[in-house]
Amino acid sequence: MKTALFPGSFDPFTLGHLNILDRALTMFDEVIVAVGVNQDKRGMFSDEQKLSIIEQATAGRKGVRIDKYDCLTIDYCRRNNIHHIIRGVRNFMDFDNEKAIADANRKLAPDVETIIIPTAQEYAHISSTAVRDLLKHGGDTSDFLPKDIVL
């Protein structure tokens, strides 16, 4: 079985994330959507809420597993025998950042390859930061979040 890791803070999981996941599922038998726990970063949603949102968003999708971790992404890959990391990008700034991380990961673990997937154009404007801002101010997030998400 060919497995990939799709790591992130997912605060919250958006339509852009779902687009990347669906496309990754065309390449892999299983994609693990893993919430990275960062003790130094305070998000809007708890880890349990993030996992619940991802479960709601991915319900019925075959080949999706959901997890969380609090170590280096490369260490998670090593522990779980994963050789592919999926990362999504919306623009060139995202790409530059993700390429730098991929290069560092390749130095740490040459057997783990990062696959960068550009989000579909209709989702390129969506960021978790924008969604959090909309939520804080009572805005409509229906064009940003997977349908049936309960926040």
Side-chain angles (χ1 to χ4, degrees), residues 37-67:
V37 177
N38 184 341
Q39 304 299 338
D40 297 329
K41 201 174 182 182
R42 172 101 170 104
M44 177 178 249
F45 298 94
S46 70
D47 294 334
E48 291 71 29
Q49 289 172 310
K50 292 175 188 179
L51 294 169
S52 176
I53 292 166
I54 296 167
E55 285 173 9
Q56 292 172 50
T58 61
R61 281 176 171 75
K62 186 179 180 202
V64 176
R65 186 161 39 118
I66 301 163
D67 201 0

Side-chain angles (χ1 to χ4, degrees), residues 88-99:
V89 296
R90 294 171 292 140
N91 52 46
F92 287 112
M93 291 185 317
D94 282 356
F95 178 81
D96 285 344
N97 183 51
E98 292 300 339
K99 184 180 181 315

Side-chain angles (χ1 to χ4, degrees), residues 13-34:
F13 191 82
T14 68
L15 283 171
H17 294 127
L18 189 60
N19 174 255
I20 298 300
L21 173 61
D22 284 341
R23 292 166 59 209
L25 285 167
T26 68
M27 296 179 258
F28 295 91
D29 301 310
E30 179 181 57
V31 176
I32 301 169
V33 181

Side-chain angles (χ1 to χ4, degrees), residues 7-12 34-36 41 50 87 128 132:
S9 59
F10 303 117
D11 190 39
V35 174
K41 201 174 182 182
K50 292 175 188 179
R87 297 299 297 173
S128 292
R132 288 192 306 271

Side-chain angles (χ1 to χ4, degrees), residues 44 129-141:
M44 177 178 249
T129 302
V131 172
R132 288 192 306 271
D133 199 39
L134 281 170
L135 288 167
K136 285 178 191 172
H137 294 93
D140 180 9
T141 59

Side-chain angles (χ1 to χ4, degrees), residues 68-129:
K68 71 176 184 175
Y69 67 104
D70 64 354
C71 59
L72 289 175
T73 301
I74 287 300
D75 289 340
Y76 183 93
C77 289
R78 285 180 179 139
R79 289 179 195 151
N80 293 280
N81 197 30
I82 296 170
H83 298 280
H84 297 90
I85 298 172
I86 301 294
R87 297 299 297 173
V89 296
R90 294 171 292 140
N91 52 46
F92 287 112
M93 291 185 317
D94 282 356
F95 178 81
D96 285 344
N97 183 51
E98 292 300 339
K99 184 180 181 315
I101 294 168
D103 290 344
N105 284 341
R106 188 175 306 107
K107 191 77 168 167
L108 294 169
D111 62 323
V112 177
E113 191 62 52
T114 299
I115 298 170
I116 297 174
I117 301 175
T119 192
Q121 187 62 39
E122 63 263 32
Y123 305 115
H125 66 286
I126 300 173
S127 71
S128 292
T129 302

